[in-house]
Amino acid sequence: MIKIVCKNVISGFLAVLITILVSGTIQTWAANPNLDGNSHPTRLTVNECIADVKEITDWDEKKVLDAARKICESRQSHAKQKARFLASLKKLGEQNYRRFDEHLPTAIEDSWTIVKSCIDFKEGFTSPHNVAVLSVPENVRSSCYSLGASLVESAPLIKRSE
């Protein structure tokens, strides 16, 4: 009895999921993969940054505070550039040009691939130590999201003629 109920629930869930995917109700710019890795773009307060610095160093308070401020700035930049990238994808998704419609999902997927490849490339050439383990991932993501946003923003937006 329990097996049948579980099987029906799973089958129903899969049917709903497939229906959503086929109908295209999930916006493509909302398909936001988690590229945060070792970064923490949501830990933005000075107290959170201080706690993170203290976790990996035994510095005096002034040095901790200076490092924490820089890390918070890096995290804020990361969050700002990620928001810019997402906004540019949303604007692209709202593009109203018939001949572009069929290419939109691929363009958005490729945009995410570019950002991910940028992150992988940059992190492949970095080996941070000490407090840099907190700032490098943020700086990498900030620059890669900025690159992605610039590429998407450079796409010509043409209004559909009716």
Side-chain angles (χ1 to χ4, degrees):
M1 176 72 176
I2 292 176
K3 280 185 178 181
I4 293 171
V5 171
C6 288
K7 195 182 263 188
N8 288 339
V9 169
I10 291 171
S11 297
F13 176 75
L14 287 174
V16 169
L17 184 61
I18 291 169
T19 302
I20 289 171
L21 292 174
V22 170
S23 68
T25 58
I26 296 175
Q27 299 297 324
T28 50
W29 60 83
N32 184 351
N34 183 359
L35 302 180
D36 289 339
N38 293 330
S39 68
H40 302 283
T42 57
R43 292 182 56 81
L44 300 171
T45 68
V46 174
N47 286 338
E48 290 171 321
C49 294
I50 287 172
D52 292 341
V53 171
K54 283 184 174 182
E55 201 172 287
I56 60 172
T57 67
D58 59 354
W59 294 345
D60 64 63
E61 291 301 311
K62 183 185 180 321
K63 200 168 180 181
V64 166
L65 184 59
D66 289 342
R69 285 185 177 142
K70 289 177 184 171
I71 289 163
C72 278
E73 287 174 12
S74 295
R75 289 176 177 173
Q76 289 166 358
S77 177
H78 170 180
K80 179 182 175 185
Q81 292 305 320
K82 184 175 183 177
R84 179 179 158 225
F85 176 69
L86 292 172
S88 68
L89 288 179
K90 183 175 182 188
K91 187 175 181 180
L92 185 68
E94 293 167 349
Q95 163 80 359
N96 198 11
Y97 184 57
R98 271 182 223 166
R99 286 182 281 167
F100 184 68
D101 289 348
E102 68 186 72
H103 302 288
L104 182 61
T106 302
I108 290 174
E109 184 180 327
D110 289 350
S111 299
W112 280 106
T113 300
I114 289 167
V115 171
K116 183 183 182 326
S117 295
C118 175
I119 291 168
D120 291 345
F121 173 79
K122 286 182 164 234
E123 286 189 341
F125 288 102
T126 59
S127 181
H129 64 283
N130 207 350
V131 77
V133 300
L134 298 175
S135 60
V136 169
E138 306 296 343
N139 294 334
V140 164
R141 280 156 184 79
S142 180
S143 64
C144 291
Y145 279 121
S146 177
L147 170 69
S150 294
L151 287 170
V152 174
E153 291 164 356
S154 71
L157 297 180
I158 304 166
K159 293 293 178 192
R160 183 182 301 198
S161 56
E162 298 298 332

